[in-house]
């Protein structure tokens, strides 16, 4: 039997970019050639414990475009790329039949399903060295550990400690490295993957969506350039971020951040460039402040692990939740007693998008007024949101349910919120017509 070629693997997950990609940077430094792999795992098509899908059509479409863009970028660099649909362990088994794999480079994950997936692969490569990077974070873990023994319950404490001698790493220059190695005989073909493969029909985006974008690093970088340098909307961010209609009230970076086609570190450095050119103000600071919220929820889930999925949350707080299918369906279909809640729920149902103001209100209403199990609402968001991110979604839901990082457990008053943020009924008229 001919000897198998020795290679490394670059296993893409939620780090679907070539700019500031630590794993790509590191695998490029190796002597061995490498194979880049992305797998649409079949478990995508299964349901969560509350009967919702793990991924809905909006995020699926965004993800397909993202992977296509990555494929093009890798092609330009002559990096061999395998795009597959199936069970991750089967595909890795196939690779192991053809190659001797020395190292696997990937993003570090710490949530339940991602760890389970990794554990299925480990027996296939018992001798492989895993090289993992925390590339989803803005703050480096050693910097956070220096500042804090433990992640505090309150964001305010976290932020204040972090902001003293605030340091963010430089970007990894993965984008400009030249690749000059080759895989001799790949013998495994990529799959043609469409929305149908993932179980959905083709569809057009809703004309009133506030998020009319396609996936992919190129589009994410374009959006950043538009929001910062072309329109200077960044200088107005703090005043506009509670908006409900149209594209520019907030950055809309979340979907690219969630699947890693934009890096939080790159965004940070672009903000600094912008401030150097046009001056900083409360708004430019506030976008960094929001990126810190994102990191905060990631560090919270790192500390509390599976507790972020428990009904009593990280506070272990006993909470009486009901589970009434009719009430849940009324909430989903925009048929509650509040027109503001209904408009927001119709927005997400039709577009996969909802503003931060909307998300806070509908989640609070679900937990505190309808008194339903917050995990049902979180699972619905998991299916629908284009920008679903496990840490931000479960962190924010726990927060609003009163079992997470807001021990005061406040309730939003939807009527007052509607008066304040939609006094002219524009938003409600858009979705309730
Ligand atoms: C119930 C609920 C569920 C949510 N689920 C998600 C989710 O699955 N994925 C997700 O990315 N965000 C989630 N968020 C946070 C927030 O609503 C979105 O990040 C934000 O609306 C995205 O719009 P943007 O990119 O224009 O945000 P901007 O206002 O422009 O903020 C810039 C970035 O900061 C981060 N950010 C802002 N607010 C928050 C926040 N409250 N928590 C964590 N990060 C934040 C995001 O990465 C965002 O892209 C949720 C909020 C609530 C209340």
């Amino acid at each position: 039997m001919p000897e198998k070629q020795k290679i490394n693997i670059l296993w893409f997950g939620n780090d679907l970019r070539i700019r500031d990609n630590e794993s790509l940077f590191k695998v490029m430094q190796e002597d061995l050639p490498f194979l880049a792999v992305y797998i649409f795992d079949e478990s995508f098509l299964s349901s969560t414990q509350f009967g919702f899908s793990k991924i809905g059509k909006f995020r699926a479409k965004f993800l397909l475009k993202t992977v296509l863009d990555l494929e093009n970028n890798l092609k330009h660099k002559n990096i061999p790329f395998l795009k597959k649909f199936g069970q991750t362990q089967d595909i890795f088994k196939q690779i192991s039949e053809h190659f001797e794999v020395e190292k696997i480079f990937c993003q570090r994950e710490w949530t339940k399903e991602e760890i389970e997936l990794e554990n299925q692969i480990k027996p296939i490569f018992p001798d492989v060295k895993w090289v993992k990077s925390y590339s989803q974070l803005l703050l480096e873990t050693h910097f956070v550990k220096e500042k804090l023994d433990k992640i505090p319950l309150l964001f305010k404490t976290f932020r204040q400690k972090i902001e003293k001698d605030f340091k963010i790493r430089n970007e990894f220059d993965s984008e400009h490295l030249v690749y000059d190695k080759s895989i001799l005989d790949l013998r495994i073909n990529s799959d043609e993957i469409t929305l149908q493969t993932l179980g959905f029909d083709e569809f057009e985006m809703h004309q009133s969506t506030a998020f009319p974008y396609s996936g992919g690093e190129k589009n994410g970088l374009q959006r950043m350039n538009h929001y910062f340098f072309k329109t200077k909307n960044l200088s107005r961010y703090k005043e506009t971020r509670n908006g409900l209609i149209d594209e520019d009230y907030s950055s809309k970076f979340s979907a690219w951040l969630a699947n890693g086609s934009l890096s939080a570190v790159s965004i940070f450095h672009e903000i600094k460039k912008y401030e150097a050119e046009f001056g900083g103000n409360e708004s430019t600071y506030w976008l960094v402040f929001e990126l810190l919220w994102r990191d905060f929820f990631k560090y919270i889930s790192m500390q509390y692990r599976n507790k972020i999925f428990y009904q009593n949350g990280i506070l272990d707080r006993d909470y009486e939740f009901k589970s009434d299918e009719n009430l849940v369906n009324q909430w989903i279909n925009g048929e509650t007693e509040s027109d503001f809640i209904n408009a927001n729920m119709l927005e997400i149902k039709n577009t996969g998008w909802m503003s931060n103001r909307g998300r806070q209100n509908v989640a609070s209403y679900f937990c505190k007024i309808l008194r339903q199990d917050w995990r049902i609402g979180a699972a619905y968001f998991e299916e629908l949101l284009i920008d679903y991110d496990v840490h931000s979604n479960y962190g924010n839901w726990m927060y609003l349910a009163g079992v997470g990082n807001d021990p005061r457990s406040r309730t939003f008053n939807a009527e007052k919120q509607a008066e304040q943020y939609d006094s002219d009924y524009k938003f409600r008229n858009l979705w309730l017509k």
Side-chain angles (χ1 to χ4, degrees):
M1 211 165 95
E3 247 188 46
K4 292 180 192 172
Q5 187 183 9
K6 266 193 190 169
I7 61 163
N8 292 322
I9 288 180
L10 170 58
W11 181 25
F12 279 101
N14 283 328
D15 56 348
L16 299 166
R17 61 176 183 270
I18 60 161
R19 175 167 165 183
D20 186 43
N21 187 319
E22 184 173 345
S23 298
L24 175 60
F25 181 82
K26 285 185 171 160
V27 76
M28 290 278 238
Q29 316 298 317
E30 298 280 319
D31 292 333
L32 287 182
F34 72 95
L35 176 62
V37 180
Y38 183 80
I39 300 164
F40 290 84
D41 193 89
E42 255 174 31
S43 68
F44 272 7
L45 308 186
S46 61
S47 301
T48 56
Q49 61 168 318
F50 299 106
F52 298 108
S53 303
K54 283 190 180 166
I55 183 170
K57 64 178 185 179
F58 301 112
R59 193 160 73 259
K61 187 168 177 161
F62 193 81
L63 180 61
L64 278 169
K65 280 275 187 212
T66 305
V67 175
L68 197 65
D69 188 50
L70 177 72
E71 189 172 11
N72 287 334
N73 286 337
L74 294 174
K75 208 188 244 169
H76 278 122
K77 288 183 156 299
N78 293 318
I79 294 173
F81 180 57
L82 196 57
K83 179 173 78 178
K84 298 294 280 181
F85 175 75
Q87 289 201 4
T88 299
Q89 73 259 44
D90 289 348
I91 289 149
F92 275 107
K93 236 181 242 154
Q94 232 184 321
I95 296 174
S96 75
E97 281 157 18
H98 298 289
F99 298 101
E100 189 180 331
V101 178
E102 206 165 274
K103 295 181 187 168
I104 298 180
F105 293 76
C106 63
Q107 175 164 286
R108 184 176 291 277
E109 300 287 354
W110 52 89
T111 36
K112 199 171 66 190
E113 286 174 8
E114 287 72 13
I115 289 178
E116 278 166 12
L117 195 63
E118 229 177 83
N119 287 341
Q120 288 168 11
I121 298 161
K122 281 185 176 152
I124 304 169
F125 301 108
D127 301 321
V128 150
K129 183 166 180 243
W130 289 76
V131 185
K132 298 182 185 177
S133 49
Y134 283 102
S135 45
Q136 56 184 301
L137 297 169
L138 175 65
L139 303 162
E140 287 181 289
T141 49
H142 64 83
F143 173 74
V144 173
K145 274 190 198 137
E146 255 169 46
K147 301 271 168 189
L148 298 157
D149 299 331
K150 184 172 181 291
I151 305 303
L153 192 62
L154 297 183
F155 171 70
K156 192 174 172 192
T157 321
F158 173 81
R159 179 180 60 78
Q160 285 173 341
K161 296 246 160 89
I162 290 301
E163 281 182 342
K164 275 195 194 131
D165 316 310
F166 194 38
K167 264 194 235 99
I168 301 294
R169 66 166 171 81
N170 290 330
E171 291 183 68
F172 284 93
D173 191 14
S174 43
E175 199 184 359
H176 300 110
L177 292 178
V178 176
Y179 185 67
D180 59 2
K181 302 186 180 72
S182 59
I183 293 218
L184 299 177
D185 184 6
L186 185 50
R187 278 183 290 172
I188 312 171
N189 294 324
S190 279
D191 294 332
E192 193 64 50
I193 303 163
T194 63
L195 263 185
Q196 277 88 357
T197 321
L198 304 180
F200 305 103
D201 291 331
E202 282 296 337
F203 66 96
E204 292 300 319
M205 278 194 227
H206 195 285
Q207 58 184 15
S208 301
T209 182
F211 190 92
Y213 313 104
S214 282
E217 183 172 9
K218 191 165 146 224
N219 291 328
L221 291 170
Q222 254 172 29
R223 170 67 193 167
M224 181 158 65
N225 195 38
H226 168 90
Y227 193 74
F228 289 2
F229 299 97
K230 269 200 185 144
T231 59
K232 304 195 181 59
N233 278 321
L234 177 57
S235 297
R236 295 179 282 276
Y237 169 67
K238 191 155 184 268
E239 293 100 71
T240 58
R241 60 181 286 274
N242 283 309
L244 301 167
I245 302 177
D246 291 337
E247 295 154 42
D248 282 348
Y249 60 78
S250 64
S251 74
K252 303 294 185 336
F253 293 161
S254 53
W256 289 285
L257 279 166
N259 70 23
S261 42
L262 269 186
S263 122
V265 171
S266 301
I267 295 175
F268 176 84
H269 289 297
E270 291 293 322
I271 295 173
K272 293 293 137 194
K273 244 192 248 169
Y274 180 93
E275 286 177 337
E277 202 173 335
F278 303 109
N281 63 11
E282 264 204 291
S283 284
T284 58
Y285 163 74
W286 213 261
L287 197 63
V288 177
F289 176 97
E290 294 300 340
L291 290 175
L292 287 181
W293 264 110
R294 176 178 176 271
D295 257 39
F296 175 63
F297 285 128
K298 288 186 184 287
Y299 278 99
I300 284 290
S301 74
M302 222 185 272
Q303 180 162 291
Y304 291 94
R305 303 285 159 148
N306 286 347
K307 270 193 167 181
I308 67 164
F309 304 114
Y310 294 175
Q311 191 181 54
N312 297 344
I314 58 169
L315 292 184
D316 280 327
R317 179 178 274 173
D318 268 341
Y319 220 82
E320 285 278 314
F321 287 112
K322 291 179 259 173
S323 175
D324 179 329
E325 213 180 312
N326 279 339
L327 288 179
V328 172
N329 285 333
Q330 282 168 15
W331 179 75
I332 286 177
N333 294 317
E335 293 164 354
T336 72
E337 286 171 6
S338 162
D339 58 358
F340 188 57
I341 299 300
N342 295 344
N344 278 291
M345 291 308 295
L346 289 174
E347 181 184 24
I348 194 174
K349 188 177 180 187
N350 285 293
T351 66
W353 179 262
M354 193 192 290
S355 68
N356 185 55
R357 182 59 39 194
R359 293 180 205 200
Q360 289 177 313
N361 272 282
V362 304
S364 178
Y365 191 87
F366 188 81
C367 304
K368 304 288 179 56
I369 307 294
L370 301 180
R371 300 197 65 77
Q372 298 301 297
D373 183 339
W374 68 271
R375 295 170 307 163
I376 301 174
Y380 179 64
F381 267 35
E382 178 170 348
E383 174 177 333
L384 268 279
L385 279 177
I386 295 184
D387 66 12
Y388 168 71
D389 167 271
V390 58
H391 320 278
S392 292
N393 192 51
Y394 282 84
N396 274 290
W397 269 96
M398 274 194 303
Y399 186 100
L400 287 150
V403 297
N405 301 91
D406 183 15
R408 289 166 297 178
S409 188
R410 290 163 292 177
T411 304
F412 278 69
N413 180 330
E415 297 316 305
K416 276 200 182 146
Q417 292 271 311
E419 267 169 42
Q420 192 174 349
Y421 298 104
D422 190 35
S423 55
D424 56 5
Y425 278 80
K426 242 180 156 173
F427 177 71
R428 277 166 287 178
N429 286 339
L430 184 67
W431 293 106
L432 298 175
K433 61 190 169 203

